[in-house]
Amino acid sequence: MSNPSIWFVTGSQHLYGPEALKQVAENAGIVAAALQQSAHIPVDVVARPVVTDPEAARAVVLQANADPMCIGVVLWMHTFSPAKMWIGGLTKLTKPVLHLHTQFNEKLPWSTIDMDFMNLNQAAHGDREAGHLHTRIGLRRKVVAGHWGHESVQKRIGSWARVALAWADWQGAKFARFGDNMRFVAVTEGDKVSAEATFGFSVNGYGIGDLVAVVDGVSDSDVSALIDEYEVLYDLAPELSKSGARHEALRYVARQEAGIKAFLDQGGFKGFTTTFEDLHGLDQLPGLACQRLMAAGYGFGAEGDWKTAALLRAFKTMEAGLEPATSFMEDYTYDLTEGGETVLGAHMLEICPTIAATKPRLEIHPLGIGGKSDPVRLVFDSKTGKATNTTLVDLGHRFRFIVNDVDAVDVPAMPHLPVARALWKVQPSFQDGVEAWIYGGGAHHTVYSYNVTSEQVRDFADIAGVECLVIDASTNLNSFRDAAKWNEAVYRG
């Protein structure tokens, strides 16, 4: 989007007179300007005229709906704003909503406070009136309470703005599938019609031959340009260097990268899937190409997993402007040392280098499956720190997000495992965290991120009106199982 923005809409009423309304508008402009200037909010904040009657509420909502650059609306009731005047507007709103429960002044002027001050600064019950209506009409929204000038509040608004930006990016997004999903696998299946109706993105299949034609048409000069880039960004194994015995394999994977990117860009796609069971016409299973296209912001899912491809794109959008650190991931195997259990995450080839702790190494090794030439891939260990693992699953009659807070730890030396890898501890514990994931129906494919938080995943699910199960340090397994059962009634519709 060229200039995404969130609209700052303030509520009041004519009861207080023109002078009070003039002050409300002035104060609202100051708050919006402060949020606009905040380093924590990644999009523009645009102040709109103060809403004082039903006609104005309806008008501002319809204008927000019609503005393609408006990704969401922040609501604040500076004074008491009778909530019935908002019904005709808010019931028509299609953009994400954040209800900011704040007031203009940070401290109360104890020695001078009078009823004029009280009438002007009564968000304490103006916002509660609004909140009641929002709940009554079923408005899906984020609520943030605190003074607008506090960094903690601005960070939460900025976090939500990233979620709203990702939601806007999904609307009308297209994802391409090269081949079908891996045969007989359940979790990578899904209802693409329901997904488009629920989330706004479309998924369609394209013949591998159509992709091969584009790959074969890549010019030698474009291939050479990518090789030059590889030499700067990565440590090349000697056999892949320009004088090495396997250099042609590297040139071929560069051709793959350029071809896949060209196919995606020509079709306006924001992500894609591949599968090692459908490679007819390709000499290698795309490895490096998928890794680098993820790093460039495209969504990706292995083995036809379009849900994870779309989710990865959303996370890449949420972290825009930050140092990227998000990847496609798979829970591969465990270290079950008692009391120190960890999960080793990896995939055959396709882990995004944005999560690498050090400069990745470009290597070539046999794969053992797929029946093609040895594929080139980036090999590295992931960063340490707080991270999340998130999955989007299709339960047949509805969708569910599941997110687990994890702690990434140092990866031990594994000289015989030539793939990118991450190692983490599950919250709240290995036993409860893994059991909760399995009870929830979580997939083995995930989006793994050092930037996107479980709160943001939940906010994203709330915008979509889809269930989200959070597994974190406070998770109680029995309560988690009960909540999943209760949600069956809530979200079945």
Side-chain angles (χ1 to χ4, degrees):
M1 303 178 70
S2 60
N3 190 30
S5 64
I6 51 178
W7 286 11
F8 190 83
V9 179
T10 304
S12 187
Q13 61 176 324
H14 287 287
L15 177 66
Y16 305 109
E19 288 302 315
L21 288 178
K22 181 180 178 181
Q23 190 65 55
V24 168
E26 181 179 325
N27 291 351
I30 293 171
V31 175
L35 299 181
Q36 163 71 10
Q37 295 167 9
S38 173
H40 303 295
I41 300 176
V43 300
D44 287 339
V45 179
V46 178
R48 303 295 297 173
V50 176
V51 171
T52 56
D53 56 47
E55 291 73 25
R58 182 185 292 268
V60 73
V61 163
L62 295 180
Q63 290 162 8
N65 289 346
D67 187 343
M69 293 299 110
C70 175
I71 64 168
V73 176
V74 175
L75 299 175
W76 170 45
M77 304 303 121
H78 189 306
T79 67
F80 193 78
S81 181
K84 283 181 66 178
M85 74 170 60
W86 291 85
I87 295 173
L90 293 182
T91 53
K92 304 297 187 298
L93 185 60
T94 60
K95 300 294 176 79
V97 178
L98 183 145
H99 182 190
L100 178 59
H101 182 41
T102 191
Q103 62 186 28
F104 183 69
N105 56 296
E106 180 183 26
K107 302 179 186 299
L108 287 176
W110 301 108
S111 63
T112 61
I113 191 169
D114 56 17
M115 283 309 300
D116 287 340
F117 181 94
M118 294 280 278
N119 286 333
L120 183 65
N121 299 282
Q122 51 179 309
H125 72 292
D127 277 329
R128 293 172 192 247
E129 162 80 352
H132 165 74
L133 177 76
H134 299 168
T135 297
R136 181 164 180 178
I137 66 175
L139 181 69
R140 299 197 294 267
R141 81 281 195 193
K142 175 76 172 179
V143 178
V144 173
H147 191 263
W148 52 271
H150 293 172
E151 184 179 41
S152 59
V153 170
Q154 293 178 8
K155 283 182 175 180
R156 294 190 70 202
I157 296 172
S159 173
W160 172 83
R162 292 182 176 279
V163 172
L165 185 62
W167 180 254
D169 183 73
W170 258 14
Q171 305 314 299
K174 299 190 296 182
F175 294 87
R177 301 180 75 210
F178 300 119
D180 203 348
N181 67 302
M182 184 177 174
R183 297 177 193 127
F184 306 114
V185 177
V187 76
T188 52
E189 294 281 8
D191 185 342
K192 295 187 285 293
V193 173
S194 292
E196 187 168 355
T198 302
F199 300 119
F201 63 78
S202 64
V203 183
N204 287 289
Y206 295 85
I208 195 71
D210 295 333
L211 174 61
V212 170
V214 180
V215 169
D216 290 346
V218 172
S219 69
D220 288 341
S221 61
D222 286 344
V223 170
S224 295
L226 282 174
I227 298 295
D228 291 341
E229 189 174 326
Y230 299 164
E231 290 178 335
V232 173
L233 294 177
Y234 316 120
D235 291 328
L236 267 64
E239 62 269 27
L240 293 176
S241 67
K242 291 177 181 177
S243 60
R246 308 298 302 275
H247 182 66
E248 284 305 313
L250 183 62
R251 289 190 65 83
Y252 181 75
V253 81
R255 191 177 300 277
Q256 279 187 328
E257 178 187 339
I260 295 173
K261 186 178 187 303
F263 190 103
L264 298 177
D265 291 348
Q266 290 166 12
F269 299 106
K270 294 182 177 180
F272 67 107
T273 69
T274 62
T275 172
F276 66 89
E277 291 182 321
D278 192 350
L279 298 174
H280 184 71
L282 293 176
D283 186 60
Q284 296 180 31
L285 172 63
L288 178 63
C290 298
Q291 292 179 295
R292 283 178 47 83
L293 288 169
M294 279 190 281
Y298 295 89
F300 171 76
E303 295 143 20
D305 190 350
W306 54 268
K307 296 186 294 297
T308 302
L311 188 61
L312 178 60
R313 168 65 186 197
F315 277 36
K316 291 289 187 180
T317 305
M318 288 185 208
E319 68 176 6
L322 304 175
E323 181 180 346
T326 296
S327 178
F328 172 81
M329 187 58 71
E330 179 172 281
D331 302 70
Y332 224 105
T333 190
Y334 300 136
D335 182 337
L336 293 180
T337 301
E338 190 169 11
E341 295 91 347
T342 53
V343 180
L344 178 59
H347 206 257
M348 293 183 295
L349 305 172
E350 308 97 337
I351 300 298
C352 181
T354 60
I355 69 169
T358 58
K359 190 175 185 178
R361 181 173 170 82
L362 201 48
E363 301 181 6
I364 183 169
H365 301 276
L367 186 60
I369 58 177
K372 293 291 182 177
S373 299
D374 300 343
V376 177
R377 82 292 302 268
L378 292 171
V379 178
F380 56 84
D381 296 332
S382 72
K383 304 174 184 179
T384 60
K386 299 291 184 183
T388 54
N389 238 349
T390 306
T391 185
L392 172 60
V393 295
D394 186 340
L395 298 178
H397 55 288
R398 60 189 178 88
F399 295 96
R400 169 184 283 170
F401 291 92
I402 307 171
V403 54
N404 186 195
D405 286 348
V406 303
D407 298 292
V409 298
D410 288 323
V411 181
M414 291 180 281
H416 301 293
L417 183 65
V419 295
R421 54 276 179 122
L423 189 69
W424 63 82
K425 293 183 178 180
V426 173
Q427 292 189 18
S429 66
F430 179 85
Q431 177 178 314
D432 286 355
V434 172
E435 289 180 11
W437 188 275
I438 292 174
Y439 276 123
H444 60 283
H445 286 170
T446 64
V447 176
Y448 176 83
S449 180
Y450 294 91
N451 286 325
V452 177
T453 67
S454 54
E455 180 179 7
Q456 287 176 307
V457 177
R458 178 155 191 162
D459 290 345
F460 194 68
D462 285 345
I463 291 172
V466 170
E467 177 190 13
C468 181
L469 298 178
V470 177
I471 306 169
D472 58 17
S474 65
T475 294
N476 174 279
L477 185 59
N478 289 331
S479 298
F480 179 91
R481 294 179 65 186
D482 287 342
K485 292 176 183 178
W486 300 333
N487 286 355
E488 189 71 21
V490 172
Y491 289 95
R492 182 177 286 272

